[in-house]
Amino acid sequence: MNWDLVWPVLAAMTAGGLIGVERTYHGHPAGFRTHILVCLTSCLLMLAAMHQSTWAFTALPGQTVVIDPTRMSHGLLTGIGFLCAGVIFREGFSVKGLTTAASLWVTSAVGVLFGVGMWNLALIGSVATLGVLAVLRLLDARLPQIGVMDLHLRWTRAAAPGEAAVRALLADSALKCVQIGHVVSPDGQMHEHHIKARGQMPLEIDSVVRRLSATPGLAGFSVMPRDN
């Protein structure tokens, strides 16, 4: 058994698994096994590119075979973009999954580093990634920031207010409307406002719900804070 090939594979699987555990713990779509597979695939392909001298091919007479492993790394980091795109989705006015996509991208890069034998840089990258995802999450929660929420307000047609009134209603709960969309039911009896609003964290969700519940003419509503 060639341990020079085994150790990078085991290290890549370990690094990918540790990053994936953090994602799985917080309920993100790409978790433990996905990150292991991304890091493992990157490592395997880079190991293959780095050991092209052992490939079973023969150059044609008069030709010289030029080995360029960097082509494989370029292809990997470009191709991983398709997988990353699969975990990014839009819900209302909010876009989710960007951090998970970034973690897949950096996991692929870590696998590449293990594959080319840059162990020190690969370990530094693994520790730094875990630090950003796990440790800096605590710091991020304590930084001053603006929270975002999506609201869907459903009115009876006759009671539907104008945009100015909707903005004033949310302003009473310290929320500022960023975008307002309008949807009218096919029979013309119901009017919906789809709203993206911002406010200083922590958002007063209970206050918003109580105020909306007491609003005359409001047939239904949903309040969805965006997961940062």
Side-chain angles (χ1 to χ4, degrees):
M1 182 178 294
N2 188 346
W3 290 101
D4 289 337
L5 299 179
V6 173
W7 290 120
V9 169
L10 293 178
M13 293 179 65
T14 301
L18 290 174
I19 296 172
V21 163
E22 193 279 338
R23 295 284 87 190
T24 297
Y25 179 76
H26 293 98
H28 295 284
F32 180 65
R33 292 184 299 170
T34 303
H35 282 76
I36 289 178
L37 290 174
V38 167
C39 203
L40 172 61
T41 301
S42 300
C43 181
L44 290 175
L45 293 177
M46 284 310 301
L47 283 171
M50 293 295 292
H51 294 80
Q52 291 183 49
S53 59
T54 64
W55 289 13
F57 66 87
T58 304
L60 296 175
Q63 291 186 337
T64 301
V65 177
V66 178
I67 297 176
D68 185 8
T70 60
R71 292 185 179 182
M72 181 67 78
S73 63
H74 291 163
L76 279 168
L77 295 178
T78 300
I80 196 66
F82 290 97
L83 183 60
C84 294
V87 300
I88 300 174
F89 60 96
R90 180 171 178 172
E91 182 178 320
F93 292 114
S94 301
V95 178
K96 298 183 178 181
L98 292 173
T99 302
T100 299
S103 71
L104 287 172
W105 191 36
V106 73
T107 299
S108 177
V110 169
V112 168
L113 293 174
F114 278 118
V116 299
M118 299 182 68
W119 283 72
N120 290 338
L121 187 56
L123 292 174
I124 291 172
S126 301
V127 173
T129 301
L130 287 170
V132 170
L133 292 176
V135 179
L136 292 189
R137 174 187 292 272
L138 302 176
L139 176 61
D140 182 57
R142 288 167 172 75
L143 291 175
Q145 57 184 299
I146 299 297
V148 180
M149 68 168 62
D150 296 330
L151 301 99
H152 293 173
L153 309 182
R154 193 164 185 258
W155 311 83
T156 56
R157 180 65 172 171
E163 284 195 16
V166 172
R167 293 178 184 275
L169 174 64
L170 296 181
D172 291 338
S173 297
L175 293 176
K176 179 180 180 181
C177 290
V178 178
Q179 292 176 308
I180 300 181
H182 300 265
V183 177
V184 179
S185 63
D187 59 7
Q189 297 303 308
M190 303 301 296
H191 187 111
E192 294 185 9
H193 288 113
H194 293 186
I195 304 167
K196 178 181 179 181
R198 291 179 177 173
Q200 191 68 41
M201 291 290 285
L203 296 172
E204 298 293 336
I205 306 298
D206 290 341
S207 172
V208 174
V209 171
R210 286 195 300 268
R211 190 173 298 278
L212 292 177
S213 298
T215 302
L218 189 58
F221 64 89
S222 66
V223 178
M224 296 176 290
R226 194 180 85 175
D227 183 8
N228 292 324

